[in-house]
Amino acid sequence: MKKLLYILFHRSVFVALALLAQITTLFIMVSLFSEYTQIFYWCCIALSVLAALAIVGSRMEPGYKIAWLLLVLPFPVFGGIFYIMSGGGTIPKRTQKRMQGMLEKSAQALREDFKADDLLPLGGDAAGQASYLERRAACPAYTNTETEYFPLGDDAFPRMLEELEKAQKYIFLEYFIIEPGVFWDSILAILERKAAQGVEVRVIYDDMGCMFTLPRDYDEILSQKGIQCRVFNRFLPVMSLRLNNRDHRKLLIIDGKVGFTGGINLADEYINVRERFGTWKDSSILLEGDAVWSMTVMFLTMWDNIANWDEDFERFRPPAAPVRPWTGYVQPYTDTPLDRETVGQAVYLNMIAKAKNYIYITTPYLVIDVATNTALCNAAKSGVDVRIITPHIPDKRYVFEVTRAHYPPLLEAGVKIYEYTPGFIHAKNFVVDDRFATVGTVNLDYRSLFLHFEDGIWLCEAPCIREIRKDFEETLKVSESYSLRRFKHLNILLQLYRSILRVFAPLM
């Protein structure tokens, strides 16, 4: 009974009901007005035509255009108004201006670290990727940065606690999901103790990501413990495209010297203390050295944006790191949906295009756009060994079905697809030719590529690249190969279901 009452009175229920009420009210009003007022009816028709023209002429990804047109054109009276009210992909000028200010401040803090030209001796492929991230995302490439790859959250967890215990000046955390349990409670105990010792502790979490895991006032609870906290994009029951823009980044930064990122959120399934979908296979990467300053600026820029602060970043700059032996190039990068630069997608496409021997990919979702699908198919047709591992046990059934709906064209082109049989694979890794790799938060789906705030680490000639490849090969041993034969006798209703999901995947 208590569980039922908790569900019924959970804020997500009220939010869902409020949004449903708005859509229903809008539909009824439009229907009534269009029935009794011819002028209103024809105005709605004209509005839908203009909306359709705006969609076709926009810079949206083609998949978005098709999905929106299939909503607007069959319902010409209601569709145009719904498109306008829900945002329609238009970013308000005020938001654009604020975002531009964030990017300029970030670039100012990091510009002295730009060194893409230093990668020229490694070839144009390496220098081109580094230059793109510096020019378009203000994210420098660094040397003098040690990297350590963790193939499981279970491996990263004790190391995170160990590094947190060493904090002397500040600890910054930014996560999509935080949930009380062994993982978060262990971290929180250290954060409380460090805050009491005078270490500055800041936490950012996404309101949507934590809707079912934290109470609405959790930021106040942390504040009472001496921990500064900000909530990203409070989920309000108002129809707006802004609801789709979530903070999907995962950052743990200690004194500007050590940083963690990857697919791991702060919840127990990520370290396999709690089983939800079989074995949870995730990855994380630790950085120690110069490149952590870039991650620190990422966090501070987001904090300024949420808190409406204008902070002096220089007070958080760590002293020069000790000179290390050759560590390769390490380039932390971030992606924002509030500009028109799809950084996460560009990193993936560049890596696919430059591959000569192999591309190994792990991703929880394979809901790819036209450009990525074409790039992967072209690489396979050119003789590159393209292999992708996805989950065998899904976390969301409809996403699992639309993931499988993307298999056939890839398989026909020669891409090899495998499913991780022990459970759910949440790692978002690319490794190419033993030279390049990326580990981060960017899924191969529309939300990550076009709607979310994301981050990742691009690696060039770094020693840990061999470990990422080794992890892929070990994972391959417990993964099941998929072939086109499985699609020949699929149930017609399942095929139709997958086709519908694939069309509307950009809006899910």
Side-chain angles (χ1 to χ4, degrees), residues 10-75:
H10 194 274
R11 67 185 177 109
S12 62
V13 175
F14 290 104
V15 168
L17 290 174
L19 289 172
L20 181 62
Q22 289 175 66
I23 295 171
T24 303
T25 302
L26 176 63
F27 182 78
I28 292 172
M29 288 178 62
V30 170
S31 299
L32 289 175
F33 273 94
S34 61
E35 182 178 348
Y36 291 107
T37 309
Q38 287 292 318
I39 295 176
F40 181 78
Y41 173 82
W42 287 109
C43 285
C44 289
I45 295 292
L47 192 62
S48 292
V49 171
L50 291 173
L53 292 173
I55 292 168
V56 171
S58 72
R59 295 174 62 181
M60 290 182 190
E61 198 277 335
Y64 276 112
K65 293 184 180 183
I66 293 170
W68 269 115
L69 287 172
L70 285 175
L71 285 178
V72 171
L73 295 179
F75 309 101

Side-chain angles (χ1 to χ4, degrees), residues 201-221:
V201 181
R202 299 186 186 184
V203 175
I204 297 173
Y205 66 84
D206 184 87
D207 197 39
M208 169 68 91
C210 297
M211 181 171 287
F212 296 97
T213 62
L214 297 177
R216 180 176 173 79
D217 62 345
Y218 195 69
D219 55 329
E220 298 175 13
I221 294 173

Side-chain angles (χ1 to χ4, degrees), residues 211-399:
M211 181 171 287
F212 296 97
T213 62
L214 297 177
R216 180 176 173 79
D217 62 345
Y218 195 69
D219 55 329
E220 298 175 13
I221 294 173
L222 289 183
S223 180
Q224 293 170 4
K225 298 176 183 292
I227 298 169
Q228 299 179 62
C229 183
R230 294 293 183 272
V231 184
F232 179 86
N233 199 0
R234 285 282 191 189
F235 195 82
L236 302 175
V238 178
M239 285 192 300
S240 169
L241 184 72
R242 187 172 173 269
L243 296 177
N244 278 320
N245 299 144
R246 311 314 315 178
D247 184 1
H248 196 243
R249 305 196 306 189
K250 288 98 178 168
L251 296 171
L252 170 57
I253 300 157
I254 300 154
D255 293 341
K257 299 177 180 179
V258 172
F260 290 83
T261 191
I264 299 169
N265 283 297
L266 304 182
D268 283 354
E269 62 265 32
Y270 293 85
I271 56 172
N272 287 297
V273 172
R274 178 168 64 124
E275 183 175 319
R276 293 186 64 196
F277 312 107
T279 301
W280 192 287
K281 174 80 173 71
D282 217 327
S283 63
S284 181
I285 188 168
L286 175 151
L287 274 58
E288 185 172 4
D290 293 350
V292 182
W293 172 237
S294 182
M295 299 172 73
T296 307
V297 171
M298 288 180 198
F299 177 91
L300 291 170
T301 304
M302 180 65 80
W303 184 274
D304 270 16
N305 179 46
I306 300 172
N308 198 25
W309 287 9
D310 185 14
E311 196 156 39
D312 178 13
F313 291 178
E314 285 300 313
R315 77 183 186 91
F316 296 98
R317 187 187 287 272
V323 177
R324 296 170 165 83
W326 173 247
T327 59
Y329 283 94
V330 180
Q331 193 163 15
Y333 61 90
T334 185
D335 193 4
T336 166
L338 302 183
D339 60 11
R340 297 195 179 276
E341 195 66 40
T342 53
V343 174
Q345 182 195 39
V347 169
Y348 287 164
L349 290 177
N350 285 340
M351 294 180 74
I352 295 168
K354 305 304 182 185
K356 295 178 177 61
N357 300 313
Y358 76 81
I359 305 166
Y360 293 162
I361 300 168
T362 55
T363 180
Y365 315 116
L366 191 63
V367 188
I368 50 178
D369 59 289
V370 174
T372 306
N373 181 82
T374 302
L376 289 168
C377 289
N378 286 343
K381 291 175 182 178
S382 301
V384 177
D385 181 13
V386 183
R387 304 188 185 197
I388 304 173
I389 303 178
T390 65
H392 186 69
I393 300 176
D395 65 335
K396 303 177 187 71
R397 189 71 206 186
Y398 72 92
V399 180

